[in-house]
Amino acid sequence: IAAVVSLVSLNEGLENSIVGEFEKLGNDRLTIFPGGTTAGPLSASSAGATLTQEDIDYINKIKGVDNSIGLIFDGGVMEFKGQIKQIILVGTPNDEESIKFIEENGLYEVEEGRILLSNDKFKAVVGKGLNEDYFDKSVEVGNKIIVEGYEFKVVGIQKSSGVGQDDTVVRIPMEIMRDILGEEDRVDMISVKIKDGENITEVAAKVTKDLGNFRNVEEGKEDFELQTPEQTIQIFKAVLNIIQVV
């Protein structure tokens, strides 16, 4: 029973974390998940569909697109001062362009320390809950933590979202997370910003068509899902609710 409760809490935290980030995005954003319209964003792996870094690079060349970044979301375990607990692990790109994208959109703001920088490897930004009472001892900037068996140095404390499990996030460089997972090209989500003055509906249609051609899939049988911010939030809530019921 404890394991089930723990998994439910993790799913709720993952939902809150992702939804919280989407709610910060404006109406000039598109979100792309692996999987077709029947697969859903969190069941893409079982359907065999994937997104890759090549998709991101291609999307950035499409007319009307300003920039895009990929993210990885997964559950994980963290050890600190002899305690082991579940956390929400997020792989965040930390190249210069992605850092600019993140800062301009007010994502992953820190209240102490700093964000992940382009030369960071085994560095981490932790949620506010880890800095408070999630562990017996608070996690502070400068502390060493063990995530999935790897040692990281904490460089920042993320601002609190005010939503319980959302504050148990641990953000690490995306390339390092890929290495840990053994999936060197993994992308779970692509966030796309369209250029100022562009019609989001028209750009969405063009991205769907061009990306489909790039991935060699027939129109109407795309192996990816493109959504507006509002649609994305609703889909995540629906899928995670199903997971929690199961």
Side-chain angles (χ1 to χ4, degrees), residues 4 29 127:
V4 173
R29 304 295 193 280

Side-chain angles (χ1 to χ4, degrees), residues 119-159:
N119 60 340
D120 285 337
K121 298 294 184 182
F122 289 89
K123 302 294 194 300
V125 173
V126 302
K128 183 62 178 175
L130 276 66
N131 177 243
E132 295 179 335
D133 58 1
Y134 191 63
F135 288 91
D136 289 344
K137 296 183 179 180
S138 64
V139 181
E140 307 285 352
V141 171
N143 283 162
K144 299 292 180 63
I145 60 176
I146 306 297
V147 177
E148 293 295 308
Y150 293 82
E151 183 178 271
F152 288 81
K153 180 179 179 180
V154 177
V155 296
I157 306 297
Q158 186 170 302
K159 286 185 178 179

Side-chain angles (χ1 to χ4, degrees), residues 170-189:
V170 175
R171 301 189 187 281
I172 63 176
M174 188 161 69
E175 291 304 320
I176 298 299
M177 184 166 171
R178 284 171 170 167
D179 289 342
I180 291 174
L181 297 174
E183 301 177 64
E184 64 181 25
D185 208 26
R186 175 174 170 177
V187 176
D188 291 331
M189 181 197 83

Side-chain angles (χ1 to χ4, degrees), residues 216-229:
N216 295 313
V217 294
E218 294 182 31
E219 186 175 353
K221 296 183 179 180
E222 290 82 7
D223 58 354
F224 58 90
E225 181 79 12
L226 186 148
Q227 298 289 341
T228 64

Side-chain angles (χ1 to χ4, degrees), residues 1-244:
I1 295 175
V4 173
V5 171
S6 181
L7 286 172
V8 169
S9 296
L10 180 62
N11 283 328
E12 289 175 346
L14 187 58
E15 174 184 333
N16 290 329
S17 177
I18 298 170
V19 169
E21 300 303 339
F22 288 139
E23 287 177 341
K24 294 179 182 179
L25 300 178
N27 292 324
D28 57 349
R29 304 295 193 280
L30 301 170
T31 307
I32 302 173
F33 297 104
T37 56
T38 59
L42 296 185
S43 59
S45 58
S46 63
T50 60
L51 293 173
T52 69
Q53 185 61 46
E54 287 185 350
D55 292 323
I56 297 173
D57 296 338
Y58 181 78
I59 290 168
N60 284 334
K61 299 175 183 178
I62 296 176
K63 183 179 179 181
V65 171
D66 184 33
N67 196 7
S68 63
I69 63 170
L71 296 171
I72 303 174
F73 298 92
D74 215 330
V77 293
M78 171 180 153
E79 180 180 351
F80 181 65
K81 303 292 186 181
Q83 277 188 291
I84 299 176
K85 289 198 173 188
Q86 290 184 317
I87 48 90
I88 299 165
L89 191 58
V90 179
T92 306
N94 60 328
D95 59 277
E96 294 293 346
E97 282 298 314
S98 295
I99 291 172
K100 181 180 178 182
F101 183 100
I102 290 168
E103 289 181 325
E104 288 180 347
N105 291 286
L107 301 176
Y108 319 143
E109 295 176 308
V110 297
E111 71 171 32
E112 183 180 347
R114 62 172 176 81
I115 63 172
L116 295 173
L117 300 178
S118 59
N119 60 340
D120 285 337
K121 298 294 184 182
F122 289 89
K123 302 294 194 300
V125 173
V126 302
K128 183 62 178 175
L130 276 66
N131 177 243
E132 295 179 335
D133 58 1
Y134 191 63
F135 288 91
D136 289 344
K137 296 183 179 180
S138 64
V139 181
E140 307 285 352
V141 171
N143 283 162
K144 299 292 180 63
I145 60 176
I146 306 297
V147 177
E148 293 295 308
Y150 293 82
E151 183 178 271
F152 288 81
K153 180 179 179 180
V154 177
V155 296
I157 306 297
Q158 186 170 302
K159 286 185 178 179
S160 175
S161 67
V163 183
Q165 290 288 328
D166 190 22
D167 286 339
T168 64
V169 165
V170 175
R171 301 189 187 281
I172 63 176
M174 188 161 69
E175 291 304 320
I176 298 299
M177 184 166 171
R178 284 171 170 167
D179 289 342
I180 291 174
L181 297 174
E183 301 177 64
E184 64 181 25
D185 208 26
R186 175 174 170 177
V187 176
D188 291 331
M189 181 197 83
I190 301 175
S191 178
V192 183
K193 180 182 182 298
I194 69 171
K195 291 181 178 179
D196 292 342
E198 295 284 349
N199 182 295
I200 191 168
T201 302
E202 293 176 358
V203 175
K206 182 167 180 56
V207 170
T208 299
K209 180 179 179 180
D210 290 359
L211 183 59
N213 290 336
F214 178 71
R215 293 170 63 88
N216 295 313
V217 294
E218 294 182 31
E219 186 175 353
K221 296 183 179 180
E222 290 82 7
D223 58 354
F224 58 90
E225 181 79 12
L226 186 148
Q227 298 289 341
T228 64
E230 183 177 354
Q231 290 172 321
T232 298
I233 290 171
Q234 295 307 315
I235 285 178
F236 256 114
K237 285 182 176 180
V239 173
L240 284 168
N241 283 339
I242 293 172
I243 292 173
Q244 289 168 18

